[in-house]
């Protein structure tokens, strides 16, 4: 992949934190990943805006339903990560 060197200004305390977290990957890879993530979030916000224009805003009951589904997914992930079985599940 082609790359280009640029100059950016970053607060010193943030730079020191990032250097500690990015040690093995390198600062450039860390920053590129962060920029991709930010770009993706910005695009999602734009998509939500378009969808809300077309279909109306998300209701609180819809938000609550999705939060419940996410909680269920998180619980399932935690269960699988610890190797726990569901009640009645065969070994």
């Amino acid at each position: 992949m082609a790359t280009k060197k640029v100059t950016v200004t970053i607060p010193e305390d943030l730079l020191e934190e990032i250097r500690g977290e990015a040690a093995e990957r390198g600062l450039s890879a860390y920053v590129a990943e962060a920029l991709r993530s930010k770009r993706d979030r910005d695009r999602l916000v734009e998509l939500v805006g378009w969808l809300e224009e077309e279909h109306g805003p998300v209701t609180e009951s819809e938000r609550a339903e999705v939060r419940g589904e996410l909680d269920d997914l998180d619980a399932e992930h935690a269960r699988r990560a610890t190797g726990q079985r569901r009640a009645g599940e065969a070994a």
Side-chain angles (χ1 to χ4, degrees):
M1 169 185 359
T3 60
K4 184 166 186 162
K5 190 171 188 170
V6 298
T7 301
V8 297
T9 302
I10 301 172
E12 193 172 328
D13 59 330
L14 178 58
L15 179 60
E16 291 309 312
E17 280 185 53
I18 291 170
R19 279 194 172 136
E21 293 177 28
E24 289 184 26
R25 291 181 291 190
L27 184 59
S28 291
Y30 186 95
V31 171
E33 183 181 325
L35 289 171
R36 279 190 191 96
S37 180
K38 173 67 170 125
R39 181 206 53 209
D40 291 348
R41 281 191 310 273
D42 289 348
R43 287 178 176 176
L44 284 172
V45 167
E46 185 177 29
L47 174 61
V48 167
W50 293 341
L51 291 172
E52 286 186 338
E53 283 177 16
E54 187 172 337
H55 302 284
V58 176
T59 66
E60 191 52 46
S61 65
E62 291 169 327
R63 288 179 196 273
E65 182 180 343
V66 169
R67 282 189 201 107
E69 290 175 10
L70 289 172
D71 288 345
D72 292 345
L73 287 171
D74 286 343
E76 177 66 10
H77 181 267
R79 184 189 66 76
R80 289 181 184 216
T82 59
Q84 296 175 354
R85 300 192 190 285
R86 290 187 195 143
E89 187 175 60

